[in-house]
Amino acid sequence: HLLALVFLTLLPLVILLVITVRVDVQRSFEVAERSSVALAEATATSVARFLRDVEVALTEITRRPEVLEMDSEPCGSFLRDLTDILPHFANLFVARTDAEIVCSALPPAGAAFEAVSDRDWFGSTLEAGRLTIGAPQIGRITGRWVTVFAVPVRGTEGETLGVLGASLDLIRFQDFLVAGRAADGSTLTIDDMNGVVVARSLDPDAWVGRALPTSGLPDEVLSLPQGATRAAGAEGVDRVWGFASIPGAPWRAWAGIPVEQVYRPVRDAAIRKTILVFLALLMLGGTALVLHRRIRGPLDTLMAQARRVGRGSTEPLTEEGPREVAELARQFNDHVVIGVDRS
């Protein structure tokens, strides 16, 4: 009965512990989802602001006479002077509407500049007449992973003279990405709508230009402007991902928090609560053991003496132990055992 009492006492505590841990896990994941989405949104907002500043700067550059005249020497000299002002860009260049490069801040990789007619950003800029952003690619002039920001160059009459391109150095772009944002094991990633990495806070040299496993998420998730999901990242680490589309660019910002980081506080709290339940078990078990010994000893003595009376002994039972056991022995002596002296 004492063991049953201990079990029934501890059972609600164990059930409460299990329920509490499950609730803590659910709340931790909800907090992680909100945090990852907030981090992704903050990154998206910051990148969108950067893109607006770039568009303004490039538009102003297209209005300079050095660019409008489409003269190779003064245009190239002017663009070279701008590279110190725009450190994120590996190169600045101008191409005519026939796709031939007129001038560049960097010299050609070979004997002459190659035409850019095959580059996606060139045709898109001429067609859209506004800023366009190219896919990540190895630049022919820079030899680095870049994405080209391109704006049309318009003459005084509004006619399109060519395209001004700015090659964003994607490796250097990481510094802008992680500054003041990635912390506590979080990973920040920017990819295009095909899942190709534009920027990444973790191991960018290995992943820029490659497709991440997260690009295989269901379409119903990726079609949302923002949201949260759970998936293994590029390193196979299970993470809670928040994502947000970047206004003005065909990009998404991702922020991943390791699931291990989500579980850690829950696990620590569960360990503390389990220790408390174990201590309660020790206290209740110890109390039950003491009571068991206090009751069982006198009962064993009472049973042994009663058996002797059953075999004809007239020796009175020992009236010791807990009150109930002593009273039972007394009643037995008064009614069964003959000659008990109460004086």
Side-chain angles (χ1 to χ4, degrees):
H1 288 166
L2 286 174
L3 290 176
L5 179 61
V6 171
F7 175 78
L8 291 175
T9 302
L10 289 178
L11 183 60
L13 293 179
V14 174
I15 294 175
L16 181 62
L17 174 63
V18 173
I19 293 175
T20 302
V21 170
R22 292 186 62 181
V23 171
D24 288 345
V25 169
Q26 182 178 357
R27 289 178 178 174
S28 295
F29 271 99
E30 291 174 353
V31 170
E33 287 180 351
R34 290 195 297 269
S35 299
S36 61
V37 170
L39 184 56
E41 287 181 335
T43 303
T45 300
S46 182
V47 173
R49 188 182 304 116
F50 170 77
L51 297 179
R52 288 195 297 270
D53 292 342
V54 167
E55 183 176 13
V56 171
L58 295 182
T59 301
E60 288 298 321
I61 293 173
T62 63
R63 296 170 180 167
R64 293 296 300 261
E66 295 92 335
V67 174
L68 291 174
E69 291 171 3
M70 294 282 176
D71 191 340
S72 177
E73 288 300 325
C75 176
S77 176
F78 170 65
L79 295 181
R80 283 191 292 273
D81 292 339
L82 290 177
T83 55
D84 292 334
I85 303 175
L86 302 172
H88 286 103
F89 293 98
N91 191 26
L92 297 168
F93 57 91
V94 176
R96 294 193 302 260
T97 54
D98 62 0
E100 296 295 331
I101 293 181
V102 176
C103 58
S104 169
L106 294 179
F113 293 113
E114 294 184 44
V116 294
S117 55
D118 61 331
R119 295 304 202 185
D120 60 338
W121 49 265
F122 180 74
S124 298
T125 304
L126 292 179
E127 181 179 351
R130 55 179 174 77
L131 173 72
T132 59
I133 301 174
Q137 56 193 207
I138 297 291
R140 289 171 177 161
I141 299 175
T142 63
R144 309 176 195 173
W145 272 107
V146 297
T147 188
V148 175
F149 292 0
V151 293
V153 178
R154 302 187 187 280
T156 56
E157 302 298 326
E159 73 279 14
T160 301
L161 302 178
V163 172
L164 170 66
S167 302
L168 178 66
D169 188 331
L170 295 182
I171 302 302
R172 293 194 64 180
F173 189 50
Q174 317 309 310
D175 298 335
F176 171 81
L177 177 67
V178 303
R181 298 185 186 90
D184 301 328
S186 300
T187 299
L188 295 176
T189 302
I190 296 176
D191 70 349
D192 63 13
M193 293 307 175
N194 295 317
V196 177
V197 177
V198 175
R200 196 162 187 263
S201 62
L202 184 63
D203 202 11
D205 293 328
W207 287 102
V208 167
R210 294 177 56 187
L212 286 173
T214 49
S215 62
L217 290 172
D219 292 338
E220 58 267 21
V221 174
L222 297 178
S223 62
L224 298 173
Q226 67 177 46
T229 187
R230 179 176 172 178
E235 306 81 17
V237 178
D238 197 10
R239 299 178 188 271
V240 177
W241 293 94
F243 61 92
S245 58
I246 299 176
W251 295 347
R252 279 183 300 253
W254 297 82
I257 300 176
V259 171
E260 172 62 24
Q261 183 177 321
V262 178
Y263 276 133
R264 189 180 302 122
V266 178
R267 184 174 59 245
D268 294 344
I271 291 174
R272 290 193 298 269
K273 293 172 183 177
T274 302
I275 291 174
L276 291 177
V277 172
F278 180 71
L279 291 176
L281 173 63
L282 289 180
M283 293 177 61
L284 288 172
T287 302
L289 181 61
V290 170
L291 291 175
H292 176 270
R293 290 181 174 178
R294 186 167 179 267
I295 297 172
R296 185 61 184 266
L299 281 176
D300 288 342
T301 300
L302 181 63
M303 290 167 60
Q305 291 176 349
R307 282 194 292 268
R308 287 198 297 271
V309 171
R311 292 194 295 267
S313 174
T314 59
E315 182 181 351
L317 276 61
T318 302
E319 300 176 6
E320 295 178 351
R323 185 180 63 182
E324 293 82 356
V325 176
E327 180 62 26
L328 176 61
R330 186 177 299 110
Q331 293 292 331
F332 191 90
N333 288 334
D334 289 344
H335 295 88
V336 178
V337 182
I338 306 300
V340 176
D341 185 4
R342 295 290 181 183
S343 64

